[in-house]
Amino acid sequence: MEYSAIFWWTTLWLLFWGVVGSIFTRRVYLRKDLDTSNSILVGSMVGAAFGPVGLVPLWLKTPEISRKLILIPAFVSVGIMMIAFALADPQNNCVSNGSFVASQITNGLIIGIIYGLMALGLTLIFSILGIVSFSHGEFYMIGGMLVYYSTVVWFPGLHPVIGVLIACLLTFMLGAVFERLFLTPLYDGRIDRPVEYGILITFGLAFTLQYFVQAVGGANPVKAKRFFDFPRIRLPDKADPWLIKTSRGNMELFDTISISNPRFVASVISIMVLLGLLYFLYRTWTGKALRAVSQDRDAATIAGINPHHMNMLAFAMGGMIAALSGATLVQAFSWLPQVGMIPAMRSFVIVVLGGLGSLPGAFIGGIIIGLVEAAGTGCVPDPQKASSYIPAYGMIVLTLTLLLRPTGLLGRRFASGTHGKL
Amino acid sequence: MIELEVKNLNKRFGGLHVLKDVSFGIKGAELIGLIGPNGAGKTTLTNILDGAIKPNSGTVYLNGQRIDQLPPFEVAKVGLGRTFQVTRSFRRMTVLENLYVPALAKHVAADKTEVTNKALEVLDFLTMRHLRNEYAQALSGGQQKLLELGRLLMLDPDIIILDEPFAGVHPTLMEIIYEYIRKVNEEGKAIVLISHQMDSIFSLCKRLLVLNYGDLIADGAPEDVKNDPVVVDAYLGKDDDENSDTTNNEKQNSA
Amino acid sequence: MNRQQTLWLISILIIVFFMTFPFLYGRRDYDYIMHVLITGFFYAILASSWSMLSGYAGQFSFGHMAFMGLGAYGTALFSHYFYLSPVPTNLCTEFEIGDQYFIIKDAIGVTSSTLDQDCLTKALAIWDGSVQITPMPIWIGILLGSMLGGIFGLLIGMLVLRLRAAYLALFTLGFSEILRATISAEIKITRGQAGIELPYLFENGITVFGHEFSKTDKIPPYYVMFFLLLACMAVLAWLAKSRFGLFVRALREDEDAAAALGVNTVRFKIMVFVITSTMAALAGAVQAHYVGIITPNNLMILQMSLVVAMAVIGGLENFAAAAIGAIIIQFLLELLRESFVIGGVEVDMTLWRLVFFGALLMITLRFYRNGLITPIIEFFTRAHVASETVEKRMDPKTEDVEEEGITG
């Protein structure tokens, strides 16, 4: 580990020039009477990637800011970090073991899809009601708990997919009832600071739900059975099945990438739900009405949409989506009443990264966070520390997002800043 | 002697060029109307003068001090006060507390009883003395508007920018606001009045500025401006859109 | 006597009650009740400072417990790693200061083996009782802990300047989770989940007015915590009355308007962060010394939820109401601890009380937005307002002013 200094010095170098770039590029663009909206981001990225060699030409030429100008330096700086890491710790699994890397990336992608789905619920609630639900993690937890209880405790032998449906139905109802009882004063201007009210009341719901589940079900970890087994592919012994090998709980692709069954099933369900959701939002009348309300509440009201119904639908659906991701993951992880905290935090990070209120942003953000966490857990040398720090990886992304591009990847322009709504 | 000097102000939001080389000056206690169609850049101009947003280029000097790069609170101390298009009283503070804020912010060593006396004077002028300990949110919309004007009196700036003071105001209240503008102007303060209500503008102001999509297309006495073909073509001639509800566009621009 | 004076009288009575309580109460559960009260004071400091931050200044930070933890861990690490010794150990990192040696113990984490001891323990074993080492005075640790909280408050305050409502809440929640993760993960330094033990507030006992108290006696820490609470309340009261309180409330209501009226919003936002996080850190440091151990679980979101709930139920926008709410709720929570059996089903109240508590929080928010204590206080302080408002209506000359209530 004596080479680890290489990594830290490189990080410091990147940080320094990133900061220099972000501060001065904006001023240069301002002085030259140019659009400065993304100059902080470009400056920091170019600074981090190329240091002074990149910044000086940038300041001299001040090209118009394009997506390419952001993305190329971003990838270059990630590349530099990776090379520095490889030099610093050549024995690390992440560097020396190609199949491990491939597995990590695949698993990161798969779990990222599920993260994306959960974040989608949060962003749906935000885009319609304008509040951030702090009870999102508890819906996730309850989703998993309901699958466990319905398939193991209440009706042993019930097929888990029916359990998932039960979980969806009950959490949808829970969300709808909560919205009717506690969120209605938000809409008629009776509350001065609706955003804060939303935070506190959902926070209260989270607190209540968590202890309710703990009081009813106890604090022991539970786990549901696998939903499906992989089909066993029987091939003659001589044919080396390098392309795909399956056992009941695991699948191996190309002899290198191993995917565990629960995660695979969960991500397949997530993709299906996602497609269904997209169909719902873009092809059905109700879905279109929802999107209309999210874009312009007053105009939608004039057009004959009852925004109160949409609020209820959005909150209930958002909660249900969180519950669904919990319900699909209860077969992969052991479940506790406190299990919702970290996924909730992660959803917040994803939603801010993707842009508060942006549906595609939530999905892209989910995949990015999935990959970042896979890299973090796989590459940090001490595995025990690596898993403790899981929330921290997301937070680093969150901090960078808030500093460099507060609107997120695909956010609306006025989502933050001095004149923002939030 | 009050002196505001605006030179070659430019502001862009993304591809939108909201202010194009705007230059004008104010000397002494003038009463100026600033008019223009919705989206002309009136609110953006106010925000730049006030320091809430920075211009891409150009300078603003107030009484010899450059203010275009200062934050709003410094600008307020130098001597420029403004109201907002949408009434922005401090809703959960009492009327008196609303008035204390600017007075104490401007003078660090202000004497509390002196400030209170001044605040009560202001309230008497606004006919709101009896409401002094009510929370601002308990006031009607018009009273909140008056309260905002009262806060400006407590700040005691040299130049006051009033953004749509007449929007949605009861006729009785309108009289009070008229009187307020006249009195404050007579006391030696310059006033920039932004409004869509042409009769009020023409009856009060002695000089008009006309903004049209970022261009300052006219600057002169009301009669001259009224007959200026450019202005007629751009603004007055068109059907006079007097409600200010559609100004949301401007709000988004300034975000 | 008007209502204002009544309120004063009540406050003084409450203070006198708590001042004399340790001598008036004599039941068998004395230590337990005292413990509940000390914890109640601790939460009262947290809730009232959080109400200054979120209720007055409108900065909804969920990182308050993280600042508390910074204070506690600051003093814990200080007292755990630094010692003074008259003789060099030749094992530890040490500096000579005058005729003493300043010793920094090495970090070894949690170990069960007797071979793998820290350097100071080894040195003590070699000396075999011939040398007396001195631990650092705990007040320095408490001071450093509070400063640590203040410094982090400054940093976080500067980072979140441009963030509003939801973003701020998310960011601070994340900060607090990272801090907890770091403390749990860096076992070598912080001993992880095992927690760090601290010396008691009065490790060697204390003699007051000729009465000797041992280190586990409740009376000295009771008064320490109570006076700390009073001091914090005094500071908060002074801040709330001064221009600081006026300005932070103005920026809560409308930041742009406040700035346009000459309020340096940036400065006051950062100031309120620094002041309240210092208070939280101070309370955390003292409480850690009282309890004698600090673990990362003290930073959990549950603890933050408790503080939030106490402040909201008491009254978010009045720090005194938040403090009273905290003490009352702490008491209620302890009273409701008793489990009972209904119809053969055992109800585990240790959990159900929290469920009720959460429901109470939601109902308070929904129906009594000012909390349950604030209206009582306002009954005394705002009694004159209604009559003032009506006084003008009697005056026929100004009828028109009342009429325009329909506008806008």
Side-chain angles (χ1 to χ4, degrees):
Chain A
M1 285 293 287
E2 58 264 44
Y3 294 116
S4 64
I6 300 176
F7 179 70
W8 293 116
W9 281 111
T10 316
T11 314
L12 215 62
W13 169 265
L14 257 61
L15 269 181
F16 175 74
W17 286 107
V19 170
V20 169
S22 61
I23 294 172
F24 289 101
T25 308
R26 191 185 137 78
R27 297 202 179 160
V28 171
Y29 271 74
L30 198 64
R31 182 148 317 151
K32 292 205 180 179
D33 192 14
L34 291 162
D35 177 23
T36 57
S37 42
N38 271 324
S39 54
I40 295 181
L41 184 60
V42 167
S44 60
M45 285 299 158
V46 171
F50 306 112
V53 187
L55 283 178
V56 171
L58 178 75
W59 293 342
L60 289 178
K61 285 183 73 180
T62 52
E64 199 174 315
I65 291 163
S66 61
R67 191 169 290 177
K68 233 201 275 176
L69 203 60
I70 298 170
L71 286 180
I72 293 176
F75 284 125
V76 170
S77 21
V78 172
I80 292 175
M81 291 289 280
M82 276 152 74
I83 292 168
F85 186 79
L87 287 175
D89 192 5
Q91 261 75 55
N92 194 296
N93 246 345
C94 272
V95 181
S96 56
N97 188 342
S99 76
F100 176 77
V101 174
S103 274
Q104 281 302 97
I105 291 178
T106 320
N107 279 309
L109 277 175
I110 286 178
I111 203 88
I113 292 169
I114 307 167
Y115 292 171
L117 180 71
M118 184 172 169
L120 207 66
L122 194 62
T123 212
L124 185 70
I125 295 174
F126 177 81
S127 64
I128 310 284
L129 284 92
I131 62 165
V132 175
S133 165
F134 276 72
S135 52
H136 212 57
E138 272 56 38
F139 276 98
Y140 167 90
M141 178 269 292
I142 285 186
M145 281 291 176
L146 281 173
V147 170
Y148 168 78
Y149 274 97
S150 57
T151 59
V152 179
V153 181
W154 297 334
F155 316 105
L158 191 74
H159 195 276
V161 171
I162 300 173
V164 172
L165 290 178
I166 292 175
C168 286
L169 189 72
L170 289 180
T171 46
F172 186 89
M173 278 157 52
L174 175 67
V177 168
F178 173 77
E179 193 274 344
R180 279 295 96 180
L181 287 181
F182 290 102
L183 294 183
T184 38
L186 280 173
Y187 313 138
D188 49 14
R190 263 188 286 161
I191 284 177
D192 279 314
R193 292 188 294 164
V195 179
E196 282 83 353
Y197 176 79
I199 292 172
L200 285 180
I201 196 93
T202 51
F203 197 73
L205 176 69
F207 184 85
T208 315
L209 284 181
Q210 189 173 328
Y211 285 100
F212 179 73
V213 172
Q214 206 166 326
V216 170
N220 296 326
V222 298
K223 196 169 178 178
K225 280 194 296 239
R226 271 203 298 276
F227 291 1
F228 300 102
D229 287 339
F230 280 131
R232 257 190 115 78
I233 305 172
R234 290 199 179 277
L235 290 168
D237 284 347
K238 269 178 286 172
D240 183 22
W242 63 273
L243 187 68
I244 183 166
K245 262 189 239 165
T246 60
S247 67
R248 281 198 298 180
N250 207 31
M251 175 164 70
E252 217 172 300
L253 297 176
F254 313 116
D255 263 348
T256 47
I257 302 166
S258 96
I259 302 167
S260 78
N261 171 300
R263 288 183 179 212
F264 183 75
V265 171
S267 72
V268 169
I269 296 178
S270 296
I271 291 174
M272 277 160 37
V273 171
L274 202 70
L275 292 177
L277 202 64
L278 287 180
Y279 178 82
F280 169 74
L281 284 175
Y282 286 84
R283 286 281 176 274
T284 62
W285 190 89
T286 321
K288 284 179 186 168
L290 262 181
R291 288 194 302 130
V293 173
S294 85
Q295 274 161 21
D296 192 330
R297 189 173 205 92
D298 299 333
T301 315
I302 293 164
I305 298 165
N306 184 342
H308 286 209
H309 291 169
M310 292 302 138
N311 289 333
M312 185 167 85
L313 184 66
F315 194 85
M317 271 185 59
M320 184 187 81
I321 290 169
L324 191 79
S325 31
T328 54
L329 282 179
V330 69
Q331 46 165 349
F333 304 120
S334 60
W335 223 245
L336 282 165
Q338 295 87 356
V339 85
M341 177 66 206
I342 288 172
M345 290 279 311
R346 191 185 284 129
S347 301
F348 297 147
V349 173
I350 291 170
V351 162
V352 175
L353 173 65
L356 258 179
S358 155
L359 297 178
F363 200 63
I364 295 170
I367 288 173
I368 293 176
I369 294 294
L371 289 174
V372 167
E373 284 193 359
T377 41
C379 298
V380 172
D382 183 343
Q384 195 263 331
K385 273 189 193 175
S387 54
S388 307
Y389 276 124
I390 283 182
Y393 307 129
M395 280 306 293
I396 294 169
V397 176
L398 177 69
T399 314
L400 285 177
T401 316
L402 290 177
L403 287 176
L404 297 178
R405 196 179 152 89
T407 53
L409 293 176
L410 302 174
R412 299 178 195 173
R413 285 206 55 173
F414 49 85
S416 174
T418 26
H419 289 262
K421 277 172 84 180
L422 284 178
Chain B
M1 182 70 178
I2 301 160
E3 197 174 353
L4 181 80
E5 183 77 45
V6 178
K7 253 193 202 149
N8 301 78
L9 225 45
N10 274 289
K11 181 67 196 174
R12 285 186 177 81
F13 292 117
L16 212 63
H17 204 159
V18 190
L19 290 180
K20 301 168 191 158
D21 266 335
V22 173
S23 306
F24 65 93
I26 296 176
K27 275 199 163 65
E30 292 190 79
L31 215 172
I32 302 172
L34 176 60
I35 58 172
N38 292 321
K42 302 184 298 279
T43 302
T44 307
L45 181 60
T46 315
N47 282 339
I48 287 179
L49 293 182
D50 161 55
I53 53 180
K54 306 272 171 282
N56 287 76
S57 66
T59 54
V60 183
Y61 283 86
L62 175 57
N63 298 340
Q65 191 175 349
R66 186 166 171 183
I67 59 168
D68 55 277
Q69 297 297 324
L70 292 181
F73 76 93
E74 297 271 13
V75 175
K77 284 181 191 170
V78 174
L80 189 142
R82 55 94 56 105
T83 63
F84 293 87
Q85 212 163 28
V86 186
T87 319
R88 298 173 92 159
S89 50
F90 303 131
R91 289 171 56 79
R92 275 173 307 154
M93 293 167 74
T94 64
V95 169
L96 268 181
E97 283 171 335
N98 262 278
L99 296 178
Y100 289 155
V101 170
L104 294 178
K106 191 169 184 185
H107 306 287
V108 181
D111 178 38
K112 192 88 183 226
T113 47
E114 215 170 277
V115 171
T116 311
N117 287 338
K118 195 176 164 198
L120 288 175
E121 243 170 65
V122 168
L123 285 179
D124 277 336
F125 175 60
L126 300 172
T127 66
M128 282 169 62
R129 191 191 178 109
H130 60 297
L131 297 168
R132 60 189 177 277
N133 282 318
E134 281 292 346
Y135 286 116
Q137 64 181 356
L139 304 184
S140 73
Q143 286 166 332
Q144 291 195 26
K145 209 139 219 168
L146 285 185
L147 179 59
E148 230 186 335
L149 298 176
R151 286 196 313 211
L152 279 185
L153 287 184
M154 297 298 289
L155 180 67
D156 198 19
D158 293 334
I159 295 186
I160 292 178
I161 305 177
L162 299 175
D163 201 345
E164 298 286 357
F166 308 117
V169 164
H170 187 270
T172 334
L173 211 71
M174 199 100 130
E175 278 308 313
I176 299 177
I177 298 179
Y178 265 51
E179 202 192 317
Y180 171 93
I181 292 175
R182 287 203 195 93
K183 188 190 150 206
V184 170
N185 187 233
E186 274 162 25
E187 278 173 6
K189 296 189 197 315
I191 292 180
V192 178
L193 185 61
I194 302 176
S195 180
H196 280 97
Q197 302 202 349
M198 286 307 137
D199 33 346
S200 316
I201 290 265
F202 283 117
S203 69
L204 280 169
C205 303
K206 308 202 172 52
R207 181 180 160 199
L208 278 189
L209 298 171
V210 186
L211 264 180
N212 186 36
Y213 300 104
D215 287 312
L216 191 65
I217 54 172
D219 178 356
E223 295 71 36
D224 303 342
V225 171
K226 218 185 223 168
N227 302 323
D228 188 333
V230 186
V231 177
V232 172
D233 188 42
Y235 183 41
L236 296 174
K238 277 199 288 189
D239 87 58
D240 41 1
D241 170 13
E242 291 213 2
N243 64 44
S244 57
D245 290 347
T246 41
T247 39
N248 283 334
N249 297 336
E250 277 184 35
K251 252 197 101 184
Q252 280 188 16
N253 286 344
S254 65
Chain C
M1 191 162 78
N2 66 20
R3 288 187 192 176
Q4 198 99 34
Q5 286 163 323
T6 321
L7 188 68
W8 270 108
L9 194 70
I10 294 174
S11 328
I12 289 167
L13 280 178
I14 291 176
I15 292 174
V16 168
F17 170 74
F18 280 121
M19 285 291 283
T20 51
F21 180 80
F23 304 105
L24 298 179
Y25 193 75
R27 301 259 287 276
R28 271 175 55 206
D29 55 357
Y30 183 79
D31 275 7
Y32 171 65
I33 294 289
M34 289 289 276
H35 172 75
V36 172
L37 278 176
I38 295 171
T39 317
F41 295 155
F42 163 67
Y43 277 115
I45 297 175
L46 290 174
S48 55
S49 59
W50 192 72
S51 107
M52 173 55 83
L53 183 61
S54 60
Y56 285 73
Q59 307 295 309
F60 272 74
S61 152
F62 284 111
H64 214 56
M65 274 328 232
F67 293 117
M68 186 287 293
L70 277 171
Y73 266 96
T75 181
L77 293 174
F78 180 76
S79 60
H80 193 255
Y81 286 108
F82 300 139
Y83 291 90
L84 286 176
S85 158
V87 183
T89 58
N90 298 324
L91 289 169
C92 303
T93 322
E94 50 202 0
F95 309 97
E96 200 176 344
I97 300 172
D99 57 346
Q100 293 274 339
Y101 286 87
F102 182 73
I103 295 173
I104 303 172
K105 207 156 79 170
D106 55 345
I108 54 156
V110 186
T111 171
S112 52
S113 108
T114 42
L115 294 172
D116 202 18
Q117 292 288 2
D118 62 79
C119 60
L120 191 63
T121 318
K122 283 182 197 161
L124 283 173
I126 295 167
W127 293 330
D128 198 19
S130 62
V131 180
Q132 201 68 40
I133 57 161
T134 0
M136 300 302 273
I138 61 166
W139 61 267
I140 297 182
I142 293 175
L143 213 65
L144 285 175
S146 336
M147 271 164 61
L148 190 68
I151 290 166
F152 267 83
L154 180 71
L155 290 177
I156 295 290
M158 273 158 42
L159 260 178
V160 300
L161 265 184
R162 290 183 59 225
L163 305 184
R164 293 194 178 187
Y167 282 97
L168 176 72
L170 297 180
F171 189 85
T172 47
L173 191 63
F175 165 69
S176 124
E177 270 302 293
I178 286 192
L179 190 72
R180 195 176 71 85
T182 312
I183 291 171
S184 318
E186 297 297 335
I187 294 172
K188 268 199 126 162
I189 299 169
T190 64
R191 295 166 52 90
Q193 290 290 339
I196 298 191
E197 285 175 17
L198 296 87
Y200 285 104
L201 269 178
F202 303 101
E203 184 70 16
N204 303 318
I206 185 174
T207 312
V208 184
F209 301 130
H211 191 290
E212 224 169 277
F213 294 100
S214 80
K215 67 176 178 182
T216 50
D217 263 335
K218 299 287 180 195
I219 289 182
Y222 176 92
Y223 280 109
V224 168
M225 200 55 105
F226 183 62
F227 285 127
L228 195 62
L229 173 63
L230 282 188
C232 284
M233 298 291 277
V235 171
L236 288 175
W238 177 69
L239 285 176
K241 282 269 175 223
S242 69
R243 77 180 60 223
F244 178 90
L246 196 66
F247 291 168
V248 293
R249 276 161 67 215
L251 80 89
R252 165 193 77 188
E253 291 300 308
D254 194 325
E255 214 176 312
D256 298 334
L261 292 174
V263 177
N264 187 345
T265 49
V266 170
R267 195 167 97 201
F268 283 96
K269 254 179 156 177
I270 294 179
M271 265 169 74
V272 75
F273 258 102
V274 173
I275 290 170
T276 55
S277 45
T278 309
M279 272 184 194
L282 182 62
V286 173
Q287 173 78 356
H289 277 294
Y290 159 65
V291 177
I293 188 165
I294 172 85
T295 69
N297 290 347
N298 292 60
L299 274 69
M300 268 196 345
I301 197 70
L302 158 69
Q303 304 287 327
M304 191 63 226
S305 321
L306 276 180
V307 172
V308 170
M310 285 165 171
V312 169
I313 294 174
L316 194 55
E317 282 161 31
N318 189 320
F319 66 90
I324 296 169
I327 296 174
I328 292 176
I329 284 167
Q330 175 64 21
F331 231 96
L332 279 180
L333 280 179
E334 290 299 328
L335 282 181
L336 291 173
R337 217 180 245 278
E338 300 287 309
S339 298
F340 56 88
V341 179
I342 298 178
V345 183
E346 198 194 337
V347 180
D348 181 8
M349 279 310 285
T350 49
L351 289 168
W352 278 107
R353 65 190 174 131
L354 292 167
V355 179
F356 294 141
F357 189 46
L360 179 64
L361 166 63
M362 280 157 64
I363 291 167
T364 311
L365 263 176
R366 173 73 174 80
F367 298 106
Y368 307 94
R369 290 251 302 126
N370 287 332
L372 302 178
I373 310 285
T374 308
I376 302 174
I377 296 179
E378 294 216 327
F379 169 76
F380 292 108
T381 53
R382 291 182 55 77
H384 54 288
V385 176
S387 55
E388 267 171 22
T389 309
V390 177
E391 119 209 342
K392 194 80 174 185
R393 206 168 285 161
M394 304 302 165
D395 191 352
K397 271 185 291 181
T398 48
E399 248 173 327
D400 52 345
V401 184
E402 296 305 321
E403 260 175 36
E404 56 76 38
I406 40 171
T407 59

